[in-house]
């Protein structure tokens, strides 16, 4: 018998579960969205673009009609310590004639004109939907341009319809592997543990987050060889094979790259998370353990103690104000969702709903394991579902991305952007405090008093913040 | 820091750098949101729909509901017909709108899906309607897409089914904010004439906080009103690029005479708008509107010395630019660079009107300036480097140029991603012009204060 409410589509039932209420502990995920749904998901191009865009000194050329370039113009909030070239928007702006006769010539001209203007070491050429249909030979055009200009011109196979955002992550990783490739002969895989140098995968330096983590690692004696891809430059990325370890923050986008780097260059990888105090400390410890270096272990313990002590009173202050509030989570990847649950626990906040756009089966298994009984877990949710479960569960706060913000606000629910639009670094110890401050700023805003007056909000009966 | 633009202008033919337009489907989605109880549907990959929703959400700070056909590789090979039929079924089963407004994308256009045939063969519940617009992203711009979706409303909904024409006017407001649509409605209401505005995003994209999430907010043009638009005695299309094509179609289909006017931005365009209404319906201009006009002229008089000789660069959508250019000229400023990303000739739409109108205005003011359609912000930036200006006006993307060249910047148009309240406050009508005067003079005077030496800082300006 169906237990779903009328506004839950039948096909969607297998993508939603309530912990402790149902016997099943796994849910349908990683599947295509249903036609006619208000999905919060994006496309292959989107996935590829968000991964590659932080490469600061690259020309990011979007091959297609104008829209795809317009919507991704400088929206990521990835900071650069050098070039600002990546913040421009380059498009071949395909017109009807190009669709009929092919866009290859225009693409070649665009590459020529841009390379002449900007002298960049690499051009990424993104395929959009229509390019996949009209059959432009991106490989051939890029190869020719690369020879002509003596730089790398790398096609990114990101036509929107060939899969979902995850396929775009993989297309981006393939492009990165091609960028790295030419130098592979120079650094044969060997015993790299002697060099305490790592690649930091899956941090896009939003609000400067990668800089915080790089500094922690420096303090315990680990050098960050390159970040994939926050504040990265072509020349740094090409040195990736020289590292002795890859650590992965955003596994959704970078797990594939880590596997490839291990296979091709013998670099082992480990998952880390620098979201929240608990995960940050655990991650630093595992990195130190990997290098089997007593000095590093000691430095790590000292750093953990020092940084934890530095934020302790602030965290306790926020915890006092925020405990017993209820949070809902709807983010892109599974690993971020897992970290957020732990981070909310540190603040005494109960998570009542958790969902992702592209989480994988093992992510959902972990979410199920760590969630409290009664927590709603869902994949590829639509706004009606988010509304229903937030209202039913009495959430005070939603963590999500750009499309979820006004939805939460309309319901009188506070909101935190844990995506492109974040304004403060949320990583590491300092990030944990920023996160707590952001939660406090929104949950305890005086605006909800007025929102309550119009019927919204879930604050009745709660102690004042 | 952000200045990557070289001064020397070289001819380019390989696409755009820093665009001043975006693609058709987002305009179609915005227009469709201006029908009450309507769900826009994007027939393409799900990324298109996500991008349009995000972009509109960033500008309006409102939830934007739309569905997608979620194309996969199979749909791209075999056509998207099956996806669209499934989508139509799901949309009415789950969300139950009165209208589903389908727009295409570059993908479905290139594959060649025949939307009207698919709609005809789909199961649409009794009393519900599916309309569509072809919006290939490789033609025109978001403004063209807006126009095409309004055309779709006329094609599918408007009917001439009364004996004579009714004493009522259709207003097609163009791609403007809901605050502008409200202001236009207020002006027409004050004139005392019955009107039908479509699309009308007021009450949808500027909806109040109620504590509830409404999939379909209270505002928007009613379907029966759009149907009745075929019985009106006049259509006023505001803005050539966004509104004239659907108005002309309504004239052809239902014999409703169409007049295209400038978007009523600034004193002259607002005068034209009201005088046209007055002459067509033999009405008097009410004292309240005369008073508003008088107040505007009063403020323009009080402040004209602030604007004298000031050079300004303006960019954005063509219909908005025409009104803005005319207005800054009437303030005594010199619009030396005027650029839109929208091509000036569109299939079945206006041809070359943008450049012609702006050039005529400049000639009448005995000014020379650069005017361009289908341009980009890279080029505008180069123009400014070669001929500097005192003020830049345009959407949020102008902030890079304003910073690089250190010029004051007034945000107007679409999209505005870094400021709020603009969807609620008009730039049209006399009130809107008053607001523009305030924004422009504040920007200029703030700059003067910032740059003044201590001894030059003035209390009274």
């Amino acid at each position: 018998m169906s237990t779903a409410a009328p506004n839950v589509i039948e096909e969607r039932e297998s993508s939603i579960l309530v912990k402790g209420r149902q016997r099943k502990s796994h849910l349908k995920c990683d599947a295509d969205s249903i036609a006619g749904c208000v999905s919060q998901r994006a496309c292959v191009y989107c996935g590829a673009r968000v991964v590659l865009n932080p490469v600061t000194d690259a020309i990011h050329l979007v091959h297609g009609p104008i829209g795809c370039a317009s919507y991704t113009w400088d929206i990521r909030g990835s900071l650069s310590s050098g070039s600002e070239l990546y913040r421009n928007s380059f498009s071949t702006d395909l017109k009807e004639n190009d669709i009929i006769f092919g866009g290859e010539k225009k693409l070649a001209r665009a590459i020529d004109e841009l390379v002449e203007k900007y002298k960049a070491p690499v051009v990424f050429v993104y395929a959009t939907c229509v390019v996949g249909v009209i059959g432009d030979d991106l490989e051939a055009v890029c190869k020719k341009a690369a020879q002509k200009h003596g730089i790398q011109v790398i096609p990114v196979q990101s036509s929107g319809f060939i899969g979902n955002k995850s396929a775009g992550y993989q297309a981006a990783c393939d492009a990165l592997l091609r960028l790295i490739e030419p130098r592979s002969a120079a650094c044969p895989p060997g015993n790299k543990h002697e060099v305490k140098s790592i690649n930091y995968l899956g941090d896009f330096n939003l609000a400067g987050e990668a800089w915080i983590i790089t500094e922690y690692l420096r303090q315990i004696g680990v050098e960050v060889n390159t970040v994939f891809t926050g504040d990265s430059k072509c020349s740094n990325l090409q040195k990736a094979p020289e590292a002795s370890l890859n650590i992965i923050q955003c596994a959704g986008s970078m797990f594939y790259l880590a596997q490839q780097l291990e296979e091709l260059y013998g670099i082992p990888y480990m998952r880390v998370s620098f979201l929240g105090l608990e995960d940050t400390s655990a991650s630093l410890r595992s990195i130190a353990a990997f290098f089997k270096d007593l000095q590093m272990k000691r430095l790590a313990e000292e750093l953990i103690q020092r940084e934890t002590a530095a934020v302790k009173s602030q965290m306790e202050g926020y915890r006092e104000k925020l405990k017993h509030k209820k949070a809902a989570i709807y983010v892109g990847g599974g690993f971020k969702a897992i970290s957020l649950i732990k981070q909310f626990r540190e603040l005494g906040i109960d998570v009542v709903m958790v969902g992702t756009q592209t989480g994988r089966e093992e992510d959902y298994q972990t979410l199920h394991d760590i969630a409290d009984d009664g927590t709603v877990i869902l994949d590829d949710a639509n706004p009606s579902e988010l509304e229903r479960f937030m209202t039913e569960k009495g959430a005070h706060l939603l963590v999500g991305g750009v499309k979820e913000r006004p939805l939460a606000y309309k319901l009188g629910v506070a909101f935190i952007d844990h995506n492109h639009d974040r304004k403060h670094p949320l990583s590491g110890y300092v990030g944990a405090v920023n996160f707590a401050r952001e939660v406090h700023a929104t949950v305890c805003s005086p605006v909800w008093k007025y929102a309550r007056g119009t019927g919204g909000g879930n604050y009745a009966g709660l102690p004042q913040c | 820091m952000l200045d990557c633009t070289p001064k020397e202008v070289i001819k380019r033919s390989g696409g755009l750098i820093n665009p001043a337009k975006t693609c058709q489907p987002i305009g179609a989605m915005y227009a469709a949101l201006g029908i009450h109880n309507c769900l826009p549907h994007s027939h393409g990959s799900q990324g298109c729909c996500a991008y349009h929703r995000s972009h509109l959400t960033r500008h309006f700070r409102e939830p934007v509901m739309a569905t997608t056909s979620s194309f996969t590789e199979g749909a791209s090979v075999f056509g998207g017909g099956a996806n669209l039929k499934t989508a139509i079924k799901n949309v009415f089963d789950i969300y139950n709108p009165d209208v589903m407004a389908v727009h295409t994308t570059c993908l479905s256009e290139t594959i060649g899906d025949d939307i009207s045939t698919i709609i005809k063969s789909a199961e649409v519940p009794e009393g519900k309607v599916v309309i569509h617009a072809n919006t290939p992203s490789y033609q025109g711009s978001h403004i063209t897409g807006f126009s095409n979706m309004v055309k779709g409303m006329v094609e599918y909904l408007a009917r001439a089914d009364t004996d004579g024409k009714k004493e009522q006017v259709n207003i097609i407001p163009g791609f403007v904010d809901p605050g502008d649509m409200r202001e236009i409605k207020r002006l027409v209401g004050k004139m005392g004439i019955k009107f039908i505005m479509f699309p009308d995003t007021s009450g949808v994209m500027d909806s109040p906080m109620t504590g509830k999430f409404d999939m379909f907010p209270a505002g928007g043009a009613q379907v029966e009103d759009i149907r009745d638009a075929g019985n009106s005695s006049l259509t006023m299309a505001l803005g050539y690029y966004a509104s004239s094509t659907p108005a002309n179609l309504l004239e052809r289909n239902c014999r409703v005479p169409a007049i295209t006017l400038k978007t009523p931005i600034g004193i002259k365009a607002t005068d034209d708008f009201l005088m046209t209404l007055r002459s067509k319906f033999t009405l008097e201009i009410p004292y309240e509107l005369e008073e508003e006009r008088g107040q505007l002229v009063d403020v323009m008089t009080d402040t004209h010395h602030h604007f004298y000789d000031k050079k300004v660069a303006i960019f954005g959508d063509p219909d908005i630019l025409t009104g803005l250019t005319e207005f800054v000229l009437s303030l005594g400023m010199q619009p030396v660079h005027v650029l839109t990303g929208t091509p000036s000739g569109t299939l079945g739409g206006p041809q070359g009107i943008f450049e012609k109108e702006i050039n005529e205005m400049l000639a009448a003011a005995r000014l020379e300036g650069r005017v361009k359609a289908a341009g980009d912000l890279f080029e505008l930036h180069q123009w400014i480097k070669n001929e500097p200006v005192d003020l830049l006006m345009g959407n949020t993307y102008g902030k890079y140029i304003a910073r690089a060249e250190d010029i004051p910047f007034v945000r107007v148009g679409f999209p505005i991603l870094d400021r709020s309240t603009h969807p609620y406050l008009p730039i049209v009508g006399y009130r809107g012009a008053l607001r523009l005067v305030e924004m422009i003079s504040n920007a200029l005077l703030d700059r003067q204060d910032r740059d003044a030496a201590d001894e030059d800082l003035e209390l009274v300006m």
Side-chain angles (χ1 to χ4, degrees):
Chain A
M1 196 180 76
S2 167
T3 52
N7 61 345
V8 171
I9 308 155
E10 234 170 85
E11 289 103 315
R12 292 273 315 135
E13 279 180 52
S14 50
S15 297
I16 303 168
L17 68 85
V18 181
K19 179 166 176 184
R21 216 94 32 94
Q22 281 139 310
R23 231 175 280 146
K24 63 177 179 181
S25 70
H26 69 273
L27 80 174
K28 194 178 152 200
C29 59
D30 214 0
D32 292 332
S33 299
I34 300 159
C37 275
V38 184
S39 169
Q40 305 293 78
R41 276 180 176 173
C43 63
V44 183
Y45 164 73
C46 177
R49 188 71 204 262
V50 296
V51 167
L52 290 178
N53 195 61
V55 182
T56 60
D57 57 356
I59 290 170
H60 297 272
L61 173 59
V62 184
H63 186 39
I66 195 64
C68 301
S70 281
Y71 305 122
T72 51
W73 179 5
D74 200 22
I75 55 161
R76 241 246 95 169
S78 315
L79 305 192
S80 167
S81 57
S83 175
E84 299 284 352
L85 184 57
Y86 70 118
R87 300 182 66 181
N88 288 283
S89 174
F90 304 120
S91 167
T92 50
D93 185 29
L94 292 185
K95 302 283 176 52
E96 192 152 36
N97 269 354
D98 305 314
I99 304 301
I100 298 167
F101 301 109
E104 293 178 10
K105 283 189 183 135
K106 197 172 190 185
L107 173 60
R109 284 201 304 277
I111 297 170
D112 289 350
E113 288 173 8
L114 291 170
V115 170
E116 192 189 336
K117 265 189 206 74
Y118 298 108
K119 317 281 179 247
V122 59
V123 183
F124 290 113
V125 178
Y126 298 79
T128 59
C129 284
V130 78
V131 171
V133 177
I134 62 176
D136 278 0
D137 189 347
L138 242 56
E139 286 288 348
V141 177
C142 291
K143 194 175 168 195
K144 214 166 152 189
Q147 283 163 353
K148 182 173 174 184
H149 298 289
I151 60 168
Q152 294 219 53
V153 181
I154 299 174
V156 185
Q157 300 300 348
S158 52
S159 281
F161 58 84
I162 58 174
N164 62 18
K165 206 169 164 182
S166 302
Y169 297 148
Q170 186 164 336
C173 291
D174 282 331
L176 288 166
L177 287 165
R178 286 176 68 157
L179 181 70
I180 295 166
E181 194 176 16
R183 292 180 55 94
S184 58
C187 28
N191 184 5
K192 294 181 176 178
H193 287 218
E194 301 306 313
V195 196
K196 296 188 176 57
S197 155
I198 63 159
N199 298 321
Y200 179 21
L201 277 58
D203 188 319
F204 305 102
N205 203 32
L206 303 181
E209 290 176 343
W211 295 334
I212 293 171
I213 305 311
T214 303
E215 177 55 22
Y216 290 159
L217 293 171
R218 192 192 62 77
Q219 287 182 27
I220 66 168
V222 176
E223 184 211 339
V224 171
N225 180 47
T226 186
V227 180
F228 282 90
T229 52
D231 190 25
S232 65
K233 287 189 300 191
C234 177
S235 56
N236 295 359
L237 292 169
Q238 287 176 325
K239 279 189 243 161
E242 292 169 19
S244 42
L245 174 67
N246 286 328
I247 57 170
I248 321 168
Q249 168 78 46
C250 174
S253 62
M254 286 288 171
F255 194 67
Y256 168 74
L257 182 71
Q259 287 175 318
Q260 292 295 309
L261 289 173
E262 179 171 54
E263 196 173 302
L264 294 168
Y265 306 104
I267 309 172
Y269 60 82
M270 82 171 49
R271 277 186 167 196
V272 294
S273 168
F274 293 106
L275 297 176
L277 303 179
E278 186 190 326
D279 279 3
T280 302
S281 301
S283 297
L284 289 170
R285 285 191 179 110
S286 352
I287 293 166
F290 170 85
F291 286 108
K292 300 187 176 71
D293 178 329
L294 287 175
Q295 161 90 344
M296 189 186 289
K297 281 184 183 166
R298 186 176 56 76
L299 287 171
E301 288 309 325
E302 280 171 19
L303 182 140
I304 290 165
Q305 205 174 25
R306 188 171 63 240
E307 296 287 338
T308 311
V311 299
K312 187 163 179 269
S313 70
Q314 280 171 291
M315 290 298 282
E316 276 171 4
Y318 287 121
R319 190 187 159 91
E320 201 46 49
K321 291 169 183 154
L322 294 170
K323 66 183 173 197
H324 307 314
K325 297 281 193 292
K326 294 174 190 166
I329 299 171
Y330 189 70
V331 290
F335 218 57
K336 189 193 276 179
I338 295 163
S339 271
L340 279 169
I341 291 185
K342 295 189 204 164
Q343 214 171 343
F344 278 124
R345 270 197 195 132
E346 287 172 1
L347 291 171
I349 294 174
D350 305 323
V351 172
V352 292
M353 184 202 94
V354 58
T356 81
Q357 288 176 42
T358 57
R360 293 180 303 185
E361 201 172 333
E362 59 267 34
D363 300 328
Y364 280 109
Q365 193 57 54
T366 313
L367 283 172
H368 187 263
D369 291 346
I370 65 170
D372 295 327
D373 273 358
T375 303
V376 177
I377 306 173
L378 72 178
D379 180 66
D380 185 23
N382 59 52
S384 306
E385 290 163 2
L386 295 177
E387 177 205 10
R388 181 185 148 198
F389 294 120
M390 279 195 287
T391 311
E392 253 179 47
K393 294 284 170 182
H396 302 107
L397 169 74
L398 174 67
V399 186
V402 53
K403 293 189 292 295
E404 287 80 50
R405 180 192 295 265
L407 172 70
Y409 286 168
K410 282 284 186 250
L411 296 170
V413 169
F415 183 83
I416 286 192
D417 193 299
H418 213 294
N419 204 344
H420 308 215
D421 289 359
R422 78 181 70 163
K423 298 299 170 219
H424 305 102
L426 303 178
S427 287
Y429 301 94
V430 58
V433 177
N434 286 339
F435 181 75
R437 184 185 293 126
E438 284 199 5
V439 173
H440 180 248
T442 182
V443 168
C444 298
S445 166
V447 75
W448 304 123
K449 286 183 196 156
Y450 303 96
R452 249 202 319 278
T454 58
N458 296 302
Y459 291 81
L462 270 176
Q464 283 297 312
C465 292
Chain B
M1 172 193 76
L2 282 166
D3 188 4
C4 299
T5 308
K7 185 175 175 183
E8 193 196 347
V9 180
I10 303 167
K11 202 169 155 31
R12 285 181 286 138
S13 64
L16 296 178
I17 305 177
N18 299 344
K21 66 165 181 183
T22 183
C23 64
Q24 283 208 45
I26 196 172
M29 187 181 282
Y30 179 54
L33 290 164
I35 305 176
H36 181 64
N37 264 346
C38 173
L39 191 58
H41 179 85
S42 166
H43 186 51
S45 300
Q46 55 188 11
C48 305
C49 189
Y51 278 136
H52 303 146
R53 290 176 59 213
S54 293
H55 214 58
L56 291 169
T57 291
R58 287 188 165 113
H59 176 85
F60 293 102
R61 296 175 192 251
E62 290 288 321
V64 175
M65 290 304 122
T67 50
T68 165
S69 290
S70 296
F71 269 42
T72 54
E73 204 137 25
S76 307
V77 176
F78 302 111
N83 285 49
L84 185 52
K85 279 186 195 165
T86 311
I88 291 173
K89 184 176 184 310
N90 277 336
V91 160
F92 288 110
D93 280 358
I94 305 155
Y95 305 111
N96 197 27
D98 292 339
V99 185
M100 175 178 175
V102 180
H103 63 260
T104 57
T105 57
C106 44
L107 179 58
S108 54
E109 284 289 332
T110 309
I111 295 166
D113 283 344
D114 180 356
I115 306 298
S116 42
T117 306
I118 299 169
I119 292 174
K120 275 182 202 133
S121 61
E123 285 172 51
V124 179
E126 186 76 27
K128 306 287 179 177
V129 53
V130 180
I131 69 173
H132 99 276
N134 289 96
T135 51
S137 320
Y138 44 76
Q139 283 172 355
S141 74
H142 56 296
I143 299 300
T144 325
F146 183 93
S147 177
N148 282 336
M149 182 49 85
V150 184
K151 235 173 84 186
M153 295 174 197
V154 169
E155 188 76 62
Y156 279 88
L157 300 173
R159 293 290 171 267
D161 51 13
T162 52
D163 290 338
K165 290 298 178 195
K166 293 184 183 172
E167 191 74 351
Q168 66 188 21
V169 60
N170 303 324
I171 309 272
I172 304 179
F175 196 128
V176 291
D177 279 325
D180 295 313
M181 297 187 188
R182 277 180 198 275
E183 181 64 7
I184 293 166
K185 288 197 288 185
R186 190 184 69 88
L187 292 173
V188 183
K190 291 273 178 223
M191 292 291 288
I193 174 82
K194 191 166 176 266
F195 63 89
I196 295 166
M197 177 181 277
F198 71 95
D200 177 5
T201 59
S202 66
V204 181
M205 298 311 289
D206 61 353
S207 70
M209 159 83 177
T210 58
K212 286 207 314 281
F213 163 64
D214 291 311
M215 183 91 189
F216 306 108
Q222 300 289 335
V223 173
E224 51 269 37
D225 287 340
I226 304 177
R227 287 214 170 92
D228 194 36
N231 300 319
S232 297
S233 49
L234 179 70
T235 302
M236 290 174 86
L238 304 180
Y240 278 94
Y241 287 87
S243 305
S244 67
T245 316
N248 295 337
L249 180 69
L250 189 54
E251 182 168 285
R252 269 204 305 284
N253 285 4
C254 301
R255 302 184 182 284
V256 180
I259 299 180
T260 301
L261 295 171
K262 286 198 267 294
T263 308
I265 294 171
I267 187 159
K268 184 161 183 308
T270 307
D271 285 352
D272 292 347
F273 174 62
L274 293 176
M275 295 312 271
T276 306
L277 269 179
R278 189 181 81 152
S279 67
K280 293 291 172 187
F281 294 93
T282 39
L283 302 160
E284 283 310 307
I285 306 274
Y287 172 72
E288 257 177 291
L289 295 185
E290 277 184 22
E291 186 184 39
E292 281 177 24
R293 184 181 192 278
Q295 289 173 326
L296 172 62
V297 178
D298 193 76
V299 172
M300 287 167 66
T301 314
D302 291 342
T303 54
H304 68 276
H305 56 286
H306 295 150
F307 305 118
Y308 171 71
D309 225 11
K310 291 280 193 279
K311 287 182 180 173
V312 53
I314 317 175
F315 71 93
D317 301 332
D319 296 334
I320 307 287
L321 289 185
T322 315
L324 276 178
T325 304
E326 190 172 69
F327 187 51
V328 298
L329 280 166
S330 63
L331 293 175
M333 301 175 81
Q334 301 179 5
V336 292
H337 310 308
V338 184
L339 179 140
T340 181
T342 297
S344 93
T346 54
L347 210 65
Q351 303 291 331
I353 288 175
F354 172 73
E355 291 104 319
K356 183 170 164 285
E357 282 201 321
I358 306 272
N359 279 319
E360 280 171 6
M361 288 176 195
L362 292 176
R366 290 195 207 86
L367 285 174
E368 282 191 14
R370 293 180 175 89
V371 181
K372 184 167 181 177
D376 59 21
L377 295 190
F378 179 86
E379 184 163 16
L380 180 71
H381 194 174
Q382 291 190 312
W383 289 355
I384 292 173
K385 279 180 183 292
N386 287 286
E387 186 181 355
V389 292
D390 302 297
L391 180 73
L392 177 66
M393 297 178 77
N395 65 36
T396 284
Y397 294 111
K399 77 190 290 182
Y400 303 113
I401 299 176
R403 186 181 171 100
E405 303 306 322
D406 194 24
I407 36 182
F409 177 38
V410 167
R411 285 165 180 81
V412 57
F414 174 87
I416 296 175
L417 311 169
D418 59 342
R419 296 291 187 272
S420 53
T421 61
H422 50 271
Y424 298 82
L425 303 174
I427 57 166
V428 300
Y430 302 124
R431 292 271 175 85
L434 207 56
R435 180 165 167 254
L436 283 171
V437 171
E438 187 185 22
M439 291 197 292
I440 295 170
S441 60
N442 284 358
L444 292 171
L445 297 179
D446 281 348
R447 177 57 56 108
Q448 195 179 323
D449 281 343
R450 190 198 81 176
D451 292 349
D454 279 359
E455 60 272 29
D456 291 330
L457 186 72
E458 292 182 82
L459 182 69
V460 182
M461 293 170 90

